[in-house]
């Protein structure tokens, strides 16, 4: 665009010389106008309403006997060059307005993107559970002891015959002892032992094992409500633990026992989405059977 502006200025300067030399001024000015229209079409493609027409139309100028255009022809050329200059000024103003509107749009979009990013990175407050959300039951309150009633037998009194391992690794020994108690169906003692392992060694790899086995002990002991809490806690606290997928699977089983098959189906879906690429073929088959039993869609 700067090139055409310089061309217009050059025409104004060169008019007297061109008139004296008899150069075809009419053709050269016409060419300059054509170039101006080309610039307009480039700036405003397809917008006929945006085209700026010349304010002074060319006229046929008389020619003197020696072939030099008359003074009126020179004046006409000057007027046409002035018209081109005015068109250039108009186009410059329109371009500046378009650039200003573009800057406004860019600023608005930048503000929108910043606000969106802030919303996406902001911590989301937990919403109240809807009917369709997975509901993990809360632990029931212990029943009040009636006056004069005998206290329940200590769970540790019924552990005879279960050997305690002694390898030197307290976390490993504690988990294996809990596992042996569970295998012996001494569920109350197993629950106490496994909770102690999780509390004492929360960073040990066996914490995931112990928390998952705690849920299984509750489940086998006929306490699906407590089992569901134990399984959910294992998935929430140790999502990368070795027994996190197992806890999701058994959480589904506990929810089925609590007559919540729809919630169980959501849990099976979570298990497949999060651990589908890492779980064994056997567990995948078990999940498929469980989904069928729960009539998952």
């Amino acid at each position: 665009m700067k090139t055409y502006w310089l061309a217009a200025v050059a025409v104004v300067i060169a008019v007297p010389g061109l008139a004296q030399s008899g150069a075809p001024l009419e053709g050269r000015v016409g060419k300059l106008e054509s170039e101006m229209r080309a610039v307009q079409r480039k700036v405003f493609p397809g917008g006929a309403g945006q085209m700026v027409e010349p304010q002074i139309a060319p006229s046929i100028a008389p020619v003197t006997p020696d072939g030099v255009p008359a003074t009126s022809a020179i004046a006409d050329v000057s007027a046409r060059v002035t018209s081109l200059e005015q068109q250039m000024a108009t186009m410059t103003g329109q371009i500046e307005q378009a650039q200003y509107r573009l800057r406004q749009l860019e600023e608005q979009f930048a503000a929108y993107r910043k606000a969106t990013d802030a919303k996406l990175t902001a911590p989301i407050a937990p919403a109240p559970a809807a009917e369709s959300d997975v509901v993990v039951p809360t632990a029931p309150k212990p029943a009040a002891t009636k006056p004069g009633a005998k206290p329940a037998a200590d769970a540790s009194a019924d552990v005879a015959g279960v050997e305690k391992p002694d390898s030197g690794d307290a976390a490993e020994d504690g988990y294996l002892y809990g596992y042996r108690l569970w295998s012996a169906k001494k569920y109350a003692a197993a629950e106490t032992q496994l909770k102690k392992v999780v509390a004492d060694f929360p960073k040990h790899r066996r914490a995931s094992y112990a928390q998952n086995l705690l849920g299984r002990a509750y489940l086998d002991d006929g306490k699906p409500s407590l089992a569901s809490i134990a399984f959910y806690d294992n998935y929430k606290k140790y999502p990368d633990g070795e027994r996190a997928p197992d806890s999701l699977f058994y959480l589904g089983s506990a929810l089925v026992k609590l007559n919540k098959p729809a919630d169980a189906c959501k849990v099976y879906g979570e298990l497949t989405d999060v651990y589908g690429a890492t779980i064994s073929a056997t567990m995948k088959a078990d999940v498929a059977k469980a989904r069928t039993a729960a009539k998952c869609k």
Side-chain angles (χ1 to χ4, degrees):
M1 188 176 294
K2 182 177 180 181
T3 303
Y4 296 126
W5 174 261
L6 294 175
V9 175
V11 169
V12 176
I13 297 174
V15 163
L18 291 174
Q20 294 176 3
S21 62
L25 295 178
E26 185 70 27
R28 300 188 67 179
V29 174
K31 180 180 178 182
L32 182 58
E33 290 176 336
S34 298
E35 292 175 348
M36 176 63 69
R37 292 190 179 91
V39 173
Q40 290 175 322
R41 285 193 296 270
K42 183 69 175 177
V43 177
F44 307 105
Q50 300 288 347
M51 299 291 288
V52 182
E53 297 296 333
Q55 297 179 357
I56 301 177
S59 60
I60 300 175
V63 181
T64 57
D66 57 0
V68 178
T71 304
S72 59
I74 298 176
D76 178 64
V77 171
S78 298
R80 290 170 66 184
V81 171
T82 300
S83 176
L84 291 174
E85 292 174 344
Q86 292 173 347
Q87 292 177 57
M88 182 67 71
T90 301
M91 290 176 63
T92 301
Q94 291 172 335
I95 293 171
E96 290 177 350
Q97 291 178 359
Q99 291 175 339
Y100 174 72
R101 288 194 295 269
L102 179 61
R103 286 195 302 270
Q104 284 185 317
L105 290 175
E106 291 176 344
E107 291 173 357
Q108 292 173 2
F109 179 75
Y112 169 77
R113 184 171 60 183
K114 182 178 180 181
T116 303
D117 291 343
K119 291 179 180 178
L120 292 176
T121 56
I124 301 176
E131 293 182 358
S132 59
D133 293 335
V134 176
V135 179
V136 178
T138 56
K141 294 181 180 179
T145 304
K146 295 181 181 180
K150 294 182 179 181
D154 189 354
S156 61
D158 188 26
V159 295
V162 179
E163 183 182 359
K164 289 186 178 181
D166 187 13
S167 66
D169 186 337
E172 185 73 16
D173 292 343
Y175 166 72
L176 291 177
Y177 182 51
Y179 178 83
R180 291 175 181 178
L181 290 169
W182 170 75
S183 298
K185 298 184 180 180
K186 301 182 183 297
Y187 300 125
E191 292 157 11
T192 301
Q193 176 62 27
L194 293 168
K195 284 190 288 186
K196 185 176 185 303
V197 172
V198 175
D200 293 347
F201 308 100
K203 301 298 183 180
H204 197 279
R205 63 182 289 264
R206 285 302 191 184
S208 175
Y209 283 79
Q211 184 69 29
N212 177 71
L213 190 57
L214 173 62
R216 295 193 63 180
Y218 280 134
L219 198 60
D220 294 340
D221 199 17
K223 303 173 182 177
S225 180
L226 291 174
S228 64
I229 296 171
F231 290 132
Y232 179 74
D233 284 346
N234 192 38
Y235 173 59
K236 182 174 66 175
K237 294 178 181 178
Y238 309 108
D240 297 325
E242 296 175 60
R243 286 294 183 264
D246 300 75
S247 287
L248 278 182
F249 176 76
Y250 287 111
L251 173 57
S253 300
L255 291 170
V256 168
K257 288 183 178 294
L258 291 168
N259 296 319
K260 297 181 180 296
D263 291 339
C265 291
K266 290 181 178 293
V267 170
Y268 295 140
E270 180 80 359
L271 170 59
T272 302
D273 291 343
V274 178
Y275 303 108
T278 57
I279 59 177
S280 65
T282 301
M283 178 170 283
K284 289 181 180 179
D286 290 342
V287 171
K289 293 178 182 178
R291 288 181 62 86
T292 301
K295 299 180 180 179
C296 300
K297 296 181 180 179

